[in-house]
Amino acid sequence: MNLNGRIGGITQGYDVHAAWDGTHLTGRIGGTFDGKDIRLSVQDGRVTGRIGGTFEGFDVTGDLSGDRVDVRLGGRVQGDDLRLTTQDTRLEGRFSGRVSGKDVKLTLDSGTLRGRIGGVVDGKDVALTLRDLPAPLAALAASCAFKVLEDQADASAGSSD
């Protein structure tokens, strides 16, 4: 595997394991039963694909270059924007908009992508090891895992009302 690690803590997080062949990132966010498949294709600076299955999941589409990530996770209505810029070893930006979104602050160091998506209280830690995987693609995978966790928390909160 070229991408391994965890988004979130021990009890409120997901493992991420995926393989990169130069154009396709395939793998899994979470476990065998409680998780989502990763299927992303990158070609000519564009990324497309899907996280999860046909019914329970979301589309991924947008621009992915060496210094910028500008991607939509989900549909027009029920989706989130991801906008990141890369400067040296830092990848920073916003997940889900300026007003109601979350900060993304990640750092690449010796093949490890670390940092946080979201704030101190409502955010999730990122700790991923990448081998031969572009850092912007790893940041996108981390953000997809974050969205899966957010969507799961929203669904749980909605069912308990």
Side-chain angles (χ1 to χ4, degrees):
M1 291 286 159
N2 301 96
L3 181 65
N4 289 298
R6 190 150 179 95
I7 307 300
I10 295 169
T11 60
Q12 297 293 319
Y14 274 139
D15 289 335
V16 177
H17 302 286
W20 171 244
D21 69 4
T23 56
H24 296 90
L25 183 68
T26 55
R28 189 107 175 125
I29 296 169
T32 303
F33 300 108
D34 188 24
K36 306 270 188 236
D37 291 333
I38 302 170
R39 292 183 315 275
L40 301 176
S41 297
V42 180
Q43 196 167 24
D44 298 326
R46 293 283 301 161
V47 61
T48 58
R50 186 141 179 99
I51 304 298
T54 304
F55 300 107
E56 295 226 0
F58 54 90
D59 292 330
V60 176
T61 184
D63 296 320
L64 184 71
S65 67
D67 63 349
R68 186 175 57 89
V69 176
D70 190 1
V71 176
R72 181 78 176 167
L73 307 177
R76 282 187 195 181
V77 176
Q78 295 289 347
D80 297 290
D81 291 323
L82 175 65
R83 291 196 170 92
L84 304 175
T85 56
T86 303
Q87 189 171 18
D88 296 322
T89 60
R90 299 183 60 84
L91 292 96
E92 295 183 346
R94 292 288 285 177
F95 170 87
S96 193
R98 284 190 308 186
V99 176
S100 63
K102 311 271 193 273
D103 288 332
V104 179
K105 295 183 178 184
L106 304 172
T107 303
L108 181 64
D109 183 32
S110 301
T112 302
L113 188 66
R114 293 194 183 277
R116 193 152 177 91
I117 301 174
V120 175
V121 175
D122 62 347
K124 302 288 183 215
D125 290 330
V126 174
L128 297 173
T129 302
L130 34 145
R131 220 174 306 159
D132 302 325
L133 186 80
L137 183 58
L140 172 59
S143 299
C144 289
F146 180 81
K147 179 170 172 51
V148 169
L149 287 166
E150 289 277 291
D151 290 350
Q152 178 186 1
D154 290 346
S156 293
S159 67
S160 66
D161 288 340

